[in-house]
Amino acid sequence: MKKMNTVFSAFCAALSALSFTSCLMKQEPKPEERLVTVSSSGEVKVENDRASVCFTVISRNNDAIRAMDENNRKMTAVTNALEEKGIHKQNIATDSYSIYQESNYVNGRTVQGAFVVSNSITVTINDALKTGPVIDAAVKNGATQLSSLSYYPSSTEESLKEARILAVKNAEKKANTLVSASGAKLGEIVSITETNGNGGVVYAKMMNNRNVLEEAATGDALSTPGKSVVRVSITATYKIE
């Protein structure tokens, strides 16, 4: 009996020692992983082959119905002229329509004036080189305002791919410069995050009313759609060896 107790005590002591050793092994901290995180971007220029322009027809008359009828006639003439220039009906969309009565404050009282009808449309031009003739046709047939004009590319899929590749290459160069300067070596990439969404950002060429009118007078700039910039921004994390 005494011998069994001795064996049991030895077994318990060995088990306790093993548990203690295991605890010590678990408490040993792992070496901290060294990382470097950088931000970068890639840009690609792409030819603008489409245009979007906003025309407005404004009519005034002391009679509201007559103002509306006059505006409808003018807008019909504008849209017919646009269609003759090759613009499809589905590429002409009403942007806004409003009717209001002008008023003035004279000698302490409000004097009602004429009724004003404003009708704006947005036109998509699939061939940007036809922008000048389209604007000319709209203005000659009754468009009284041209509020905006923008040129943009019809497709950016390939440009986005190129911009993403450039962004990653630029990130690696930046990270390598930082790590090499500290005397270390750049390791494998850990993560990449696109910071401006999955679609990138397209910076199109936009012109306000004054720019459009000035350039329409010469006709030169309206035939040069230019290029848009497709930009992709990322944040990348690399290991440091």
Side-chain angles (χ1 to χ4, degrees), residues 132 135-136 209-222:
I135 292 176
D136 185 60
N209 186 40
R210 181 180 177 182
N211 296 143
V212 172
L213 293 177
E214 288 176 351
E215 298 192 5
T218 62
D220 295 331
L222 293 180

Side-chain angles (χ1 to χ4, degrees), residues 55-58 74 78 135 137-146:
F55 297 107
T56 302
V57 172
I58 298 176
K74 286 183 177 180
V78 169
I135 292 176
V139 172
K140 286 181 178 179
N141 283 275
T144 51
Q145 285 185 1
L146 196 163

Side-chain angles (χ1 to χ4, degrees), residues 216-233:
T218 62
D220 295 331
L222 293 180
S223 61
T224 54
K227 297 181 179 182
S228 291
V229 177
V230 178
R231 178 183 297 167
V232 171
S233 299

Side-chain angles (χ1 to χ4, degrees), residues 189-210:
I189 193 164
V190 176
S191 66
I192 304 177
T193 303
E194 196 167 317
T195 57
N196 57 351
N198 293 327
V201 178
V202 180
Y203 295 90
K205 179 183 177 183
M206 301 190 70
M207 304 164 67
N208 57 29
N209 186 40
R210 181 180 177 182

